[in-house]
Amino acid sequence: MVHLGPKTPPSRKGLLNDIPKDLLDQIKHLEELFTVDTAQLKTITDHFVNELEKGLSKTGGSIPMIPAWVMTMPTGKEKGSYLALDMGGTNLRVCEVTLLGNRDFDITQCKYHMPPEMKTGSSEELWDYIADCLDSFLKQHHTVDDEVEAKKIHLGFTFSYPCSQTAINNGTLQRWTKGFDIDNVEGHDVQPMLAAALKKKSVPITVSALINDTTGTMVASNYTDPETQIGVIFGTGCNAAYFETVGNIPKLEGMVDLPPDTPMAINCEWGAFDNEHKILPRTSYDVQIDNDSPRPNQQAFEKMIAGLYLGEIFRLVMLDLHGEGHVFEDEDVSSLQEAYSIDAALLSLIEEDPFENLTELEDAFESRFGISTTEPERKLLRRLAELIGTRSARLSACGVAAICRKKDITKCHAGADGSVFNKYPHFQKRGAQALKEIFDWPDDLAVADYPIKVQPAEDGSGVGAALIAALTLKRISEGLPVGMKAEFV
Ligand code: GLC
């Protein structure tokens, strides 16, 4: 039996015994590449805090730190019905949310499949499709009796890409992220584009708020759990929002008529952390993903941790191991050649395989790729999935820790949503462990007592968007600003 050296952590399920030396060496090499130790977590967090500051400064930095014009948390007493539209990556979701005034709500929703070609199609196709979905939702679920009522349909539009906002109801797309690449949207305000499509199709909706999913998640989670101070998405992309005060946002100086202690939600767009590649331990696989992406040198952090990329990292490593003759000898690996053909769900399946000899993994490789695997190969693949998933969770924790450190938050909840957070096995536990290491919490502290907890969020792009629409309309009715001074809008 071959034993691992004392420094190599054992695999979560069963020891990596009975593995030929060559594969063990490969595992060791992968562990070196993908492991982020405590010291690195701390250094990355320190750098992250500085970058958050920089993003708020007049000169700016890589992290956009976008003022989102949400200037208050909900009281819980908000009432009324609002439409919410979520343009995620895979689906479009339309909801009608009724806020009941007691930290509770009712929701009716419909999901519309977004054809993958649309991600790289034309701008007109995109907005027309969205307008059609809204129209169909209204016809099915909402009776519009007359013109007056029609004008009262307010929409919170969750558009989760970096948009510069001069007010709550506009947003100029800085750049597409998450693999989108639609012409003629970057550099433009997306609100008038949607409004024009709605007008063209006579859909009687007013876009009252443009929202990032992280801001929506923070507000929605705070609505049901007032200890929530941060909203995070760990999904196809990765990002967070939190509250600053206007006086702490130098880049807004002179542009707003607001007292310095006014809260201001910040959509960090932290996926852009370390775009200058100074601190993150990138592997050659991360570099390749970046180079081959539609926007190289953007979203450095996101490309190492978000759901869109986890399967792709795994695929590139496998191809490399095969190319060097370590795995899948005599197997036809042509089915692994297509970029992005593996998604994070496969890694989840591998990590969750309950069988000691990893038969679920074996079946998945047979049926999906026509590749027969040996048991030692499967153990290596399992370890690889663990390493990629663990790196994602640990690096993500640096972002949460950085926000807390920047704001001197020692105790809070972060509301988290997204497919990776909700579905990837052990992601939450691994992230909590990383936070413990970063903050040096004592070993005997029970996880339930960790002072900073990242926990499942309330529905941000539905309930959050509706709440933000409600908060905005209230501010407008009270004559309070919802954006920059007129000359800057
Ligand atoms: C990407 C987007 C960001 C969004 C995140 C999660 O990072 O740029 O706006 O919040 O994905 O969906």
Side-chain angles (χ1 to χ4, degrees):
M1 189 183 356
V2 185
H3 287 284
L4 295 174
K7 278 169 108 185
T8 315
S11 164
R12 202 167 30 78
K13 279 246 167 70
L15 285 173
L16 296 169
N17 48 15
D18 301 328
I19 297 188
K21 164 114 179 41
D22 172 49
L23 284 191
L24 266 189
D25 288 346
Q26 293 313 311
I27 291 176
K28 230 177 165 168
H29 175 60
L30 293 171
E31 282 171 344
E32 276 155 21
L33 283 183
F34 285 98
T35 302
V36 187
D37 65 20
T38 310
Q40 280 174 297
L41 289 178
K42 290 184 176 181
T43 327
I44 293 168
T45 305
D46 290 345
H47 189 64
F48 217 129
V49 178
N50 292 335
E51 290 299 301
L52 295 176
E53 287 284 1
K54 242 200 221 167
L56 294 171
S57 71
K58 285 197 169 151
T59 40
S62 281
I63 307 186
M65 302 297 279
I66 301 168
W69 306 103
V70 175
M71 287 171 271
T72 169
M73 282 291 198
T75 58
K77 296 195 178 119
E78 291 73 14
K79 277 191 173 173
S81 287
Y82 303 88
L83 274 193
L85 165 70
D86 179 16
M87 184 186 144
T90 358
N91 288 310
L92 261 192
R93 190 167 60 116
V94 182
C95 326
E96 184 163 50
V97 182
T98 304
L99 305 170
L100 300 173
N102 54 356
R103 294 200 182 274
D104 204 359
F105 55 87
D106 282 335
I107 184 164
T108 311
Q109 54 181 325
C110 269
K111 269 193 183 164
Y112 303 87
H113 176 66
M114 212 168 140
E117 316 81 73
M118 205 164 264
K119 276 179 117 175
T120 50
S122 80
S123 155
E124 200 179 345
E125 259 164 30
L126 172 75
W127 301 117
D128 281 355
Y129 180 73
I130 296 181
D132 284 340
C133 293
L134 282 165
D135 191 32
S136 135
F137 182 88
L138 280 191
K139 291 197 170 118
Q140 241 182 307
H141 297 286
H142 196 100
T143 12
V144 184
D145 293 336
D146 57 36
E147 279 274 297
V148 181
E149 196 199 333
K151 286 212 178 92
K152 284 194 216 143
I153 309 179
H154 291 279
L155 173 77
F157 177 22
T158 305
F159 183 75
S160 303
Y161 307 87
C163 286
S164 312
Q165 296 194 264
T166 57
I168 183 72
N169 66 346
N170 68 33
T172 299
L173 179 64
Q174 297 180 343
R175 75 198 71 80
W176 285 114
T177 53
K178 300 184 275 198
F180 274 73
D181 192 10
I182 302 174
D183 280 346
N184 301 321
V185 187
E186 285 175 326
H188 298 279
D189 184 351
V190 297
Q191 188 272 342
M193 293 196 236
L194 174 58
L198 290 169
K199 193 165 174 214
K200 187 166 86 185
K201 292 176 183 280
S202 309
V203 189
I205 290 175
T206 308
V207 185
S208 304
L210 191 81
I211 297 150
N212 187 262
D213 49 3
T214 55
T215 317
T217 296
M218 170 173 70
V219 170
S221 300
N222 182 277
Y223 181 64
T224 50
D225 167 16
E227 275 184 69
T228 307
Q229 295 190 43
I230 299 172
V232 209
I233 301 289
F234 303 110
T236 308
C238 181
N239 185 20
Y242 72 103
F243 269 106
E244 265 307 339
T245 46
V246 165
N248 277 334
I249 311 174
K251 64 184 179 185
L252 282 186
E253 215 179 278
M255 295 179 164
V256 287
D257 277 326
L258 294 163
D261 61 351
T262 311
M264 172 68 79
I266 300 291
N267 163 21
C268 299
E269 290 293 337
W270 76 16
F273 170 61
D274 202 34
N275 276 351
E276 40 309 269
H277 307 140
K278 276 194 191 149
I279 194 123
L280 290 172
R282 294 208 307 164
T283 65
S284 59
Y285 310 108
D286 301 305
V287 173
Q288 188 178 341
I289 285 184
D290 187 27
N291 289 342
D292 295 345
S293 73
R295 297 289 179 280
N297 292 320
Q298 300 290 347
Q299 304 297 97
F301 186 55
E302 178 161 274
K303 284 172 178 160
M304 293 176 79
I305 60 182
L308 178 59
Y309 305 100
L310 299 182
E312 184 63 359
I313 301 171
F314 188 79
R315 188 185 73 86
L316 293 178
V317 178
M318 280 198 298
L319 283 179
D320 210 15
L321 289 169
H322 173 72
E324 289 176 0
H326 302 297
V327 294
F328 313 145
E329 203 188 341
D330 299 331
E331 293 293 320
D332 173 7
V333 298
S334 49
S335 55
L336 295 181
Q337 299 293 349
E338 194 194 329
Y340 292 91
S341 52
I342 293 186
D343 66 14
L346 180 70
L347 274 68
S348 298
L349 178 146
I350 294 175
E351 285 224 46
E352 264 167 350
D353 191 337
F355 300 105
E356 192 62 35
N357 51 357
L358 302 169
T359 45
E360 287 191 352
L361 193 170
E362 182 175 23
D363 293 349
F365 268 65
E366 284 279 0
S367 60
R368 295 186 199 190
F369 313 124
I371 295 177
S372 301
T373 51
T374 64
E375 191 169 331
E377 283 171 352
R378 294 199 290 280
K379 290 197 168 161
L380 174 141
L381 294 176
R382 151 92 97 168
R383 185 71 187 120
L384 176 59
E386 280 175 4
L387 286 167
I388 294 172
T390 304
R391 185 184 74 160
S392 162
R394 288 173 71 79
L395 288 178
S396 303
C398 296
V400 176
I403 291 181
C404 293
R405 197 153 270 166
K406 153 118 194 29
K407 290 297 296 168
D408 287 326
I409 297 172
T410 50
K411 194 173 183 305
C412 82
H413 292 166
D417 208 348
S419 50
V420 173
F421 185 78
N422 293 327
K423 294 193 194 141
Y424 198 97
H426 318 294
F427 185 87
Q428 305 187 18
K429 198 179 71 190
R430 290 167 178 165
Q433 165 67 25
L435 279 181
K436 171 190 166 283
E437 291 171 38
I438 295 169
F439 289 114
D440 291 317
W441 293 331
D443 284 337
D444 58 1
L445 190 66
V447 178
D449 296 330
Y450 285 3
I452 297 164
K453 278 204 214 71
V454 183
Q455 52 189 36
E458 203 46 77
D459 168 16
S461 34
V463 179
L467 276 164
I468 292 173
L471 294 171
T472 301
L473 294 173
K474 180 156 180 273
R475 279 186 78 85
I476 292 173
S477 73
E478 288 167 356
L480 292 168
V482 291
M484 289 184 188
K485 288 183 192 168
E487 64 259 42
F488 297 107
V489 176

